[in-house]
Amino acid sequence: MSPLKITARDAATGPVLEIFGELDFFTAGELRELIPTIALQPGQRLVLDLSGMEFCDSSGLSALIAAHNHAHAAQADIALAAVPAHTLRTMRIVGLDQIFSIHPDIDSATRS
């Protein structure tokens, strides 16, 4: 089990959260608690960089949905960058690829 690590930084488009490790039942609460503390302005884009995420279960997907809802409430966008193949497959099965903007890498996700 890899512990969850989340780092935050700013990009020209808005805040970026880099997620490392496992986003699962035991760790998803950390992301859910962090999300409401992220200040977003209308028109900004919250980017979740998932390139370092090793595993994501339904609790992790729920935390991603919470991030989506936070961005939507702030009239901001949200984008996922570098979604691992196994997580992307699950997202497609349950239709989450229809509500998230998904980018192959962080550069394309943070482009204005």
Side-chain angles (χ1 to χ4, degrees), residues 62-107:
S62 177
L64 297 178
I65 293 168
H68 174 273
N69 293 341
H70 175 67
H72 181 73
Q75 298 178 342
D77 293 327
I78 185 166
L80 304 181
V83 181
H86 51 77
T87 301
L88 185 57
R89 181 177 183 276
T90 302
M91 292 181 75
R92 286 184 174 141
I93 290 170
V94 299
L96 291 178
D97 62 324
Q98 301 299 307
I99 68 163
F100 284 101
S101 174
I102 299 175
H103 298 266
D105 55 47
I106 192 66
D107 289 337

Side-chain angles (χ1 to χ4, degrees), residues 13-75:
T13 53
V16 174
L17 296 181
E18 298 169 328
I19 299 173
F20 303 93
E22 297 183 9
L23 186 59
D24 60 14
F25 175 79
F26 300 103
T27 62
E30 294 176 44
L31 179 59
R32 290 182 70 92
E33 289 175 12
L34 176 63
I35 291 298
T37 68
I38 303 297
L40 288 169
Q41 301 299 319
Q44 281 188 314
R45 180 180 306 139
L46 171 62
V47 176
L48 303 181
D49 179 356
L50 306 181
S51 61
M53 189 173 72
E54 297 171 10
F55 177 77
C56 183
D57 68 4
S58 61
S59 297
L61 293 177
S62 177
L64 297 178
I65 293 168
H68 174 273
N69 293 341
H70 175 67
H72 181 73
Q75 298 178 342

